[in-house]
């Protein structure tokens, strides 16, 4: 039966024809296989006129983070060709990941930010003994008064907590932290890579657990090392989130909420397709399978192997620019988030004839376009990277084989003759990652 046949009127002749077609059709097994052939893909970036570039910046959401490795892409493409029961897939994929990452439970979310919402909903539900549909409507009411989340350093991802009807209370010392727990405390939240650490993780966990309050750790970008995927849950964090699309290299719209099964199960109860705060954060079968395949992929890698490959690529790029007047290169490795080698190409803007931000803008608008790290030309430290006011910062981890040489060639060209490539508008605000 042709696909358009579904919409056309069923005539007797058409019916007989389709019966004959069915009779002549292949066996059920090959009918399944028929859907696994892949036609040549239309390049929709090209068709839409969307600019593509080589990502020598890192896993920035705005730059669409990582590209999935080939085995992950293949698993996603195959998963897209069959139907499954969503809840069965969620349950089995979650159990599989929990087993591989050595924790009790896992809920696959629509990114780390969505894991914060689902984790908060789980803790609110546990504390108030309410239903998912009561979040956020009745949270903070006399019926369900428990609505306080203690945080160490507030950040924009706290929106995920506010969405659940809870509020945050910021603490600035261990004494203040201890004094803040009360009958309405439902959860605590720490950003693992926060610049400012006032209360250490062990103290933080011990105090909260003395009060029977679960602790959430946001470790979204904090892998490698690979062992972080189980280190924090094993330290006693009740819930830990990772972004799926960052260095785990899963789909950009996926994330992991790992931890105690009691809470990951409640998170799942608030997740799509259930009617809860996660209903609008749908994770499709393609993202779920992609996340599982990405976990398998990252566990097939080693930290040493990934670091060696990164350093090899960065050395190749450094070699291509080091003879340029005033250029000095070095490699840094941030301590927590984005813990992989980054190349710092320092230079004298007076000698080169352009600022780091101008070079960054020109690289991003050249052909082929290259996006380099947003710490380029930075005047402030961020995420463990010191200020780099006179340097380009380059990340090679995400590139596909052979792209390091292209990045090196473009950087050499822009350093040798800035005005020869791309465009630069000095009045435009520098682009953030
Ligand atoms: C990237 C990031 C997030 C959000 O992750 P998504 O997967 O994009 O939702 C949350 N917290 C921190 C600290 C991050 O770096």
């Amino acid at each position: 039966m042709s696909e358009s046949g579904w919409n056309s009127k069923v005539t007797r002749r058409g019916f007989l024809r389709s019966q004959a077609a069915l009779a002549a059709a292949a066996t059920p097994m090959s009918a399944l296989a028929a859907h696994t052939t892949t036609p040549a893909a239309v390049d929709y970036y090209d068709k839409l006129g969307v600019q593509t570039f080589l990502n020598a910046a890192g896993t920035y959401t705005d730059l669409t983070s990582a590209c999935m490795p080939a085995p992950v892409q293949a698993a996603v493409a195959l998963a897209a060709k069959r139907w499954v029961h969503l809840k069965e897939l969620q349950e089995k994929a979650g159990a599989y990941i929990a087993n591989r990452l050595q924790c009790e439970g896992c809920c696959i979310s629509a990114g780390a930010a969505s894991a914060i919402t689902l984790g908060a909903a789980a803790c609110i539900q546990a504390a108030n003994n309410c239903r998912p549909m009561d979040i956020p409507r009745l949270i903070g009411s006399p019926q369900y008064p428990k609505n306080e989340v203690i945080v160490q350093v507030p950040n924009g991802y706290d929106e995920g907590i506010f969405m659940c009807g809870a509020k945050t209370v910021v603490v600035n010392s261990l004494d203040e932290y201890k004094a803040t727990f009360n009958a309405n405390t439902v959860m605590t939240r720490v950003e693992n890579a926060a610049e400012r650490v006032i209360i250490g993780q062990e103290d933080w966990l011990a105090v909260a657990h003395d009060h029977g309050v679960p602790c959430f750790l946001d470790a979204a970008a904090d892998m490698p090392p690979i062992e972080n995927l189980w280190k924090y849950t094993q330290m006693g964090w009740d819930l830990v989130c990772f972004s799926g699309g960052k260095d785990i290299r899963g789909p950009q719209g996926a994330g992991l909420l790992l931890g105690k099964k009691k809470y990951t199960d409640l998170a799942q109860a608030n997740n799509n397709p259930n009617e809860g705060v996660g209903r609008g954060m749908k994770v499709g079968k393609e993202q779920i399978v992609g996340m599982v395949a990405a976990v398998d992929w990252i566990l097939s890698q080693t930290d040493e192997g990934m670091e060696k490959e990164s350093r090899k690529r960065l050395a190749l790029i450094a070699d291509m620019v080091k003879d340029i007047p005033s250029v000095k290169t070095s490699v840094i490795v941030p301590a927590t988030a984005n813990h992989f080698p980054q190349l710092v190409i320092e230079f004298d803007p007076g000698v080169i004839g352009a600022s780091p931000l101008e070079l960054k803008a020109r690289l991003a608008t050249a052909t082929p376009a290259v996006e380099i790290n947003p710490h380029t030309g930075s005047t402030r430290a961020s995420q463990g990277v010191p200020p780099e006011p006179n340097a380009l910062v380059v990340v090679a981890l995400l590139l596909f084989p052979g792209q390091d040489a292209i990045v090196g060639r473009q950087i050499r060209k822009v350093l040798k003759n800035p005005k020869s490539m791309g465009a630069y508008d000095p009045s435009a605000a520098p682009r953030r990652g």
Side-chain angles (χ1 to χ4, degrees), residues 324-365:
I324 299 171
S326 86
V327 167
K328 279 200 297 270
T329 64
S330 56
V331 172
I332 56 167
V333 181
T336 310
N338 305 312
H339 178 68
F340 43 75
Q342 313 195 4
L343 179 66
V344 178
I345 305 174
E346 228 185 307
F347 61 95
D348 180 343
V351 172
I352 297 296
S355 70
L357 288 179
E358 174 171 351
L359 298 188
K360 181 175 183 294
R362 289 187 177 281
L363 284 165
T365 50

Side-chain angles (χ1 to χ4, degrees), residues 59-61 65 109-116 155 157 191-194 218-222 241-246 251-256 337-338 383:
T59 52
Y60 294 90
T61 296
S65 282
S109 64
S114 145
I116 295 171
N155 68 30
Y157 299 110
E191 180 184 342
N192 190 49
D218 176 359
D222 305 346
C241 73
F242 290 94
S243 181
K246 291 184 179 168
Q252 194 189 6
L256 294 176
N338 305 312
Q383 296 214 310

Side-chain angles (χ1 to χ4, degrees), residues 186-209:
V186 296
M187 183 179 104
T188 74
R189 194 278 294 149
V190 167
E191 180 184 342
N192 190 49
E195 289 288 294
R196 206 155 51 95
V197 178
I198 305 150
I199 302 158
Q201 294 197 4
E202 268 157 28
D203 283 342
W204 184 273
L205 289 169
V207 174
H209 288 160

Side-chain angles (χ1 to χ4, degrees), residues 34-35 66 73 139 154 162 198 207 248 260 286 321 324 376 382 384 391-392 403:
H35 293 276
Q73 292 191 18
I139 302 309
F162 304 146
I198 305 150
V207 174
I248 302 175
K260 304 258 163 68
E286 300 84 359
V321 299
I324 299 171
T376 294
S382 170
L392 309 179
Q403 294 181 336

